Amino acid sequence: QDQSERVTEDGSGVCPRHVGIACLFISPTNISFTRKQNNYSIAPRLKMGYEGKVRGRRKAPFPRSILDRKYFLEALDEAGISLKQVHIDAFYQALHREHYPSLPEFVKKYYENERNVVVENEKPLRQKITKRKNRNKLNLPKKLLQFLETTNDLVTKTSKIKERHTSMDKSTTKLIIELYDGMVVESVLMRYERKGDGRASLCVSSQVGCAMGCTFCATGTMGLSGNLTTGEILEQLIHADGILADEFVLREDKSKRVDFVRSIVFMGMGEPLDNYSNVVGAARSMMDRSRWNMAHGRVTISTVGLVSQIRKLTKELPEVSLALSLHAPNQGARTAIVPTAARYPIEELIDALDGHMMAYLDRRPGDKGYTGEQRIKESSRRRAMIEYVMRKYI
């Protein structure tokens, strides 16, 4: 339909776009589709109720999460503490090895490691303990340990698990995470066990609510209440790893590898690329070799199709995988159920996705025209996921 039309009192028409947010929402139960020469339009049966709600920005948490490296460095600078990069990396590695206890507890365990104190029923570690008498990988500066023990400005976690629901076959656990301000987001822990082996994946949220307004999505009805910080995104992974670590201690068969989350999908609440900087910061931490050390292809970012952000991601972090929420076979049908599609034609979307898939080849000198054989070879290494909701009349 003509995007210059406005929403009338009876709900007909489409309102103009404002600040990059589509302004049309119809409850899934109130949609009917008419088809005429492959052109789809919305025929509302009831009054439209969504107007691109953005409820305002969330305030930054206090105390802040030490997982946000930027805030950690700022706090050190305010305290007059100057550290080498190697010591900052060593701290994060040590914190990760100890499964993210409170900062005073971390300092206590650090000194226990120096004395080579053995802990019974120790939780699994990603990195092997060195054979040195001192179990710490690297001695941390005393001034840093004193700061961690006394600071009131930083904590390890700002969120907590409010509820957890596990399926009857124990393969899936849904986590309701309560944030510092009382808002909640959801994560889903998925276990895939095989005889003598297995793995675990985690679906994480990136926003409280969502501004995209997709008509089939429950989160789309909420509007956007705010972005998650890098720390809040990573805390979802910490909570999930903690559950798996506890299960590992109690498990008799410790040969199975369902001990850590080994892959991440940004497919929870929110549009990840609408919270670009925090999502990219979290993804970098997940792939950090001194921390979670996830394989590049094991971190997948889902998007409804923000073309400019996809291209930016390709330049800054081509290692991650992409998942595209397509949901319709053509532009008209897609615009009817994904309001943001009005700004991003499918042709541009596929071109951006293709550019991300071929990013590594693009870095090579020479002609950028690729043969079919080159594309097949590259697609065997890098794959994109296409998300599709099957709906009647679409």
Side-chain angles (χ1 to χ4, degrees):
Q1 295 185 2
D2 184 0
Q3 295 300 308
S4 64
E5 295 180 17
R6 292 184 178 275
V7 176
T8 60
E9 291 186 0
D10 65 354
S12 62
V14 179
C15 70
R17 298 186 292 269
H18 295 286
V19 200
I21 298 173
C23 301
L24 172 66
F25 176 76
I26 305 176
S27 172
T29 59
N30 299 332
I31 300 177
S32 64
F33 294 91
T34 59
R35 182 177 179 180
K36 183 178 180 181
Q37 296 179 348
N38 293 324
N39 291 322
Y40 290 77
S41 62
I42 298 177
R45 293 193 291 267
L46 294 176
K47 185 175 180 179
M48 301 180 183
Y50 182 79
E51 297 179 354
K53 295 178 182 177
V54 178
R55 301 179 187 279
R57 297 180 180 273
R58 297 174 64 222
K59 294 182 179 179
F62 185 84
R64 293 178 182 258
S65 172
I66 204 167
L67 302 177
D68 279 316
R69 183 184 288 249
K70 174 185 175 182
Y71 299 138
F72 178 41
L73 296 179
E74 289 177 357
L76 290 176
D77 186 59
E78 291 177 2
I81 299 175
S82 178
L83 297 178
K84 296 180 179 178
Q85 187 65 41
V86 65
H87 288 129
I88 295 173
D89 292 339
F91 160 69
Y92 276 116
Q93 183 177 8
L95 186 65
H96 183 77
R97 284 166 51 82
E98 297 296 343
H99 296 273
Y100 298 91
S102 66
L103 295 181
E105 181 67 18
F106 166 78
V107 175
K108 177 183 176 182
K109 288 187 175 184
Y110 179 86
Y111 287 127
E112 288 177 351
N113 286 344
E114 283 195 331
R115 298 193 300 271
N116 203 28
V117 175
V118 178
V119 180
E120 295 184 1
N121 292 326
E122 193 166 37
K123 294 179 180 180
L125 297 172
R126 282 189 180 276
Q127 295 86 17
K128 293 181 180 178
I129 298 173
T130 63
K131 295 181 179 179
R132 297 166 47 194
K133 184 177 181 180
N134 184 341
R135 284 153 53 94
N136 296 318
K137 290 276 187 178
L138 183 69
N139 290 332
L140 297 178
K142 189 174 182 179
K143 57 184 178 181
L144 171 60
L145 295 173
Q146 291 174 341
F147 171 79
L148 296 174
E149 201 169 20
T150 59
T151 183
N152 294 319
D153 297 332
L154 296 168
V155 292
T156 307
K157 289 174 284 190
T158 62
S159 63
K160 62 182 180 181
I161 299 177
K162 183 178 182 179
E163 298 177 30
R164 51 190 285 188
H165 307 279
T166 301
S167 61
M168 293 186 66
D169 63 1
K170 310 297 183 184
S171 64
T172 305
T173 300
K174 179 179 179 179
L175 304 178
I176 310 299
I177 308 295
E178 183 176 351
L179 308 176
Y180 75 95
D181 53 5
M183 294 185 178
V184 295
V185 293
E186 297 180 359
S187 305
V188 179
L189 175 61
M190 297 160 282
R191 306 169 185 81
Y192 305 92
E193 295 192 10
R194 297 188 297 270
K195 187 175 181 180
D197 196 5
R199 61 183 176 87
S201 298
L202 181 68
C203 174
V204 298
S205 295
S206 57
Q207 294 179 310
V208 182
C210 184
M212 299 297 105
C214 297
T215 60
F216 52 84
C217 178
T219 309
T221 67
M222 298 170 57
L224 178 65
S225 295
N227 292 328
L228 298 189
T229 66
T230 297
E232 288 172 324
I233 295 172
L234 292 174
E235 285 173 31
Q236 297 173 69
L237 178 52
I238 292 174
H239 291 310
D241 269 344
I243 291 173
L244 294 176
D246 290 337
E247 293 174 352
F248 178 87
V249 172
L250 299 175
R251 187 186 304 129
E252 293 183 4
D253 181 9
K254 299 188 185 300
S255 63
K256 295 182 178 180
R257 298 186 61 196
V258 190
D259 50 359
F260 285 103
V261 172
R262 299 183 185 276
S263 59
I264 293 288
V265 289
F266 283 84
M267 297 181 184
M269 296 171 63
E271 162 58 46
L273 295 187
D274 194 33
N275 183 16
Y276 183 87
S277 59
N278 290 328
V279 166
V280 168
R284 291 186 190 279
S285 296
M286 293 167 182
M287 296 185 291
D288 187 341
R289 295 187 63 183
S290 66
R291 299 173 74 182
W292 282 276
N293 193 26
M294 292 187 180
H296 294 169
R298 295 294 184 182
V299 177
T300 300
I301 295 178
S302 173
T303 177
V304 76
L306 308 186
V307 172
S308 58
Q309 299 296 68
I310 292 175
R311 298 192 192 281
K312 184 178 180 181
L313 182 69
T314 300
K315 291 180 180 179
E316 298 183 1
L317 200 63
E319 299 90 346
V320 301
S321 298
L322 271 182
L324 173 62
S325 296
L326 189 62
H327 303 307
N330 58 58
Q331 182 66 22
R334 189 167 191 266
T335 303
I337 59 175
V338 181
T340 52
R343 296 187 60 208
Y344 304 108
I346 283 184
E347 294 77 14
E348 292 185 16
L349 193 54
I350 297 303
D351 183 66
L353 183 62
D354 182 71
H356 191 83
M357 293 283 291
M358 307 302 290
Y360 285 124
L361 286 183
D362 284 339
R363 292 180 174 182
R364 301 175 185 177
D367 187 11
K368 300 303 181 184
Y370 309 117
T371 65
E373 184 179 349
Q374 284 178 310
R375 287 184 174 276
I376 292 173
K377 183 178 180 180
E378 190 68 10
S379 64
S380 66
R381 295 191 302 161
R382 294 170 56 79
R383 297 182 180 181
M385 180 184 295
I386 302 298
E387 300 166 278
Y388 209 105
V389 174
M390 302 298 294
R391 300 191 62 181
K392 193 174 183 180
Y393 305 123
I394 297 292

